Amino acid sequence: MKADEIRRMAAEQNAVILAHNYQRPEVQDIADVVGDSLELAIKAKETTADVIVFCGVDFMAETAKILNPGKRVLLPVREATCPLAEALTPEMVREARSRHPGAAVVLYVNSTAECKAEADITCTSANAVGVVRSLEEEEILFGPDANLGCYVQRMVPEKRIIPLPPGGHCPVHQRFSLDDVKQGRERGDAVVCHPECPPEVQQASDLIASTGGMVREAGGHPRWTVLTDAAMTYRLSREFPGGVFHPVEGAECEDMKLTTIDDVLHALRTGEYNVEVDADIAARARRAIERMIAIRR
Ligand code: 13P
Ligand code: SF4
C-alpha cells in the first residue's frame, strides 16, 4: 500500500511529514503532524528530522526552510502557491514604509520570503492580535490580507492598521457571504469563520478562528457550519467524531488540493522539490519569523 511505503521511506530517511489542515483527507492521514500555519512553523523549527516534507503551499515550505537552513525541505508539488501571498511585492512594502516611517510592518506568513525580509515581524491568523498588541508602534502596516487586518483592528482598537495592499484578499475566503451564515443558522448550526472572510461575515459568525483555533474550540458546540476550505471539516470530524461539520460546497483552495499521496511518495523517492531560499533573504526573513514564534499566540 502507498501509505505503508510512505511511512517506511519516511522512517528510513528520518523525514517528518507536515500537512496543513486544508490538505486532502488521504494526505492528512499519512502525515506525522496536521495543523495550522503557526503550529506547522513551530513544528518545523523544533523537529529533529533531517528532511521535512511539507504538504501545503510554497510560502509554508519556504518558512520551514528559513527556520532550518541546514535541512532538506521538500514541497511535493512545485506549483502549489498562494495567490494572496503573490499579491504583495517587496517594492510595495518598501514604498509603504517610506510613506509611514514610524509604522511597524507586520506581514501575514502568507507572503513571499522576499517580503518577509522587509517585515519587522510576521504573524499568522492564530497570533495576529497578540503580535500587533506586542508592538510599541501605534501605526501598523499590515498585509497582505485586508480582512485579517480588519479583524485585528476590531480586536486592537488602540492601534491604527494600514492595509498593505488595500483590499488584499484570499480568493477562497472572499467568496463567503452573509447567505452562507444564514444557511448555516437555518440548519441549526453554529457558524465559525476564518478571519480571512469578509468583515460582515466575521461579524455575523459565532466564532472567528484560525484553522488551529477551530480545532481547539469546536468541542464547545455539536454542530457547525465551517466557513473556510471544505477539507477543514475532515480534520474537525477526526478530532470530534460525534460532531456535525458542514462545509460550503465549492469552498476549496485549489493549490492546497494539488498534493496527492502519489506526490508525497514521489518527493520521498526523488527528493523533489527541494526548497531553496537565498541566504541573505532567509537571514532577514528569519528574524521576523523568529520574533513571531517567540510570541506564539
Ligand atoms: P491558518 O494559519 O489558519 O491555518 O490559515 C492558513 C491559510 O492559508 C488560510 O487560508
Ligand atoms: Fe492562500 Fe487562500 Fe489557499 Fe490559504 S486558502 S493558501 S490564503 S489561496
Side-chain angles (χ1 to χ4, degrees):
M1 247 178 76
K2 285 175 191 168
D4 296 331
E5 178 69 355
I6 288 172
R7 296 306 335 153
R8 189 189 62 72
M9 292 186 74
E12 229 171 64
Q13 298 177 25
N14 190 24
V16 65
I17 302 176
L18 307 183
H20 188 264
N21 289 320
Y22 296 164
Q23 290 288 291
R24 292 167 182 266
E26 61 273 26
V27 174
Q28 295 191 29
D29 288 346
I30 50 94
D32 294 293
V33 182
V34 183
D36 72 4
S37 313
L38 182 63
E39 292 158 354
L40 296 178
I42 292 171
K43 194 71 202 174
K45 183 172 159 62
E46 292 174 349
T47 186
T48 54
D50 297 317
V51 180
I52 298 171
V53 181
F54 212 116
C55 304
V57 292
D58 57 356
F59 73 80
M60 296 180 173
E62 259 180 17
T63 302
K65 180 68 184 179
I66 291 166
L67 292 169
N68 293 283
K71 289 188 174 154
R72 264 151 62 81
V73 177
L74 306 178
L75 178 68
V77 177
R78 207 173 8 202
E79 295 74 25
T81 60
C82 169
L84 168 64
E86 284 166 14
L88 186 67
T89 65
E91 292 73 30
M92 288 158 83
V93 183
R94 285 195 288 268
E95 196 269 332
R97 222 193 242 288
S98 71
R99 275 188 291 115
H100 300 274
V105 175
V106 179
L107 290 192
Y108 195 24
V109 286
N110 300 41
S111 54
T112 63
E114 288 79 3
C115 285
K116 288 186 180 83
E118 302 290 334
D120 294 308
I121 187 165
T122 61
C123 72
T124 74
S125 52
N127 63 12
V129 168
V131 163
V132 167
R133 275 200 187 120
S134 77
L135 300 171
E136 278 175 11
E137 291 85 345
E138 192 203 324
E139 232 181 27
I140 312 286
L141 285 161
F142 187 98
D145 193 89
N147 293 339
L148 177 62
C150 261
Y151 171 68
V152 174
Q153 182 68 83
R154 278 197 293 122
M155 295 296 128
V156 196
E158 65 273 23
K159 303 278 186 190
R160 190 159 85 85
I161 305 288
I162 305 165
L164 174 66
H169 63 264
C170 156
V172 180
H173 288 86
Q174 191 69 8
R175 284 174 44 203
F176 292 113
S177 68
L178 288 176
D179 215 41
D180 297 314
V181 178
K182 187 164 158 261
Q183 282 178 28
R185 296 236 195 282
E186 281 168 5
R187 275 195 294 261
D189 293 353
V191 179
V192 57
C193 80
H194 194 275
E196 286 176 12
C197 291
E200 67 275 14
V201 173
Q202 295 181 23
Q203 270 160 330
S205 297
D206 299 292
L207 175 66
I208 306 166
S210 70
T211 65
M214 292 182 192
V215 171
R216 284 187 293 280
E217 301 199 43
H221 197 276
R223 297 171 61 90
W224 290 96
T225 286
V226 181
L227 304 186
T228 191
D229 183 291
M232 190 65 217
T233 59
Y234 177 74
R235 174 75 209 278
L236 289 168
S237 304
R238 251 176 60 164
E239 296 296 322
F240 304 102
V244 178
F245 302 99
H246 292 115
V248 170
E249 212 180 285
E252 292 227 325
C253 174
E254 287 172 19
D255 287 277
M256 283 283 186
K257 300 302 169 305
L258 289 175
T259 308
T260 64
I261 57 169
D262 285 319
D263 297 314
V264 180
L265 198 53
H266 182 264
L268 287 165
R269 282 188 180 141
T270 63
E272 287 180 335
Y273 294 93
N274 193 23
V275 176
E276 295 286 3
V277 182
D278 171 86
D280 173 54
I281 286 173
R284 288 162 57 215
R286 191 175 307 119
R287 271 191 289 122
I289 300 167
E290 284 187 339
R291 197 174 163 198
M292 166 189 81
I293 288 180
I295 291 173
R296 298 211 168 197
R297 262 190 280 137

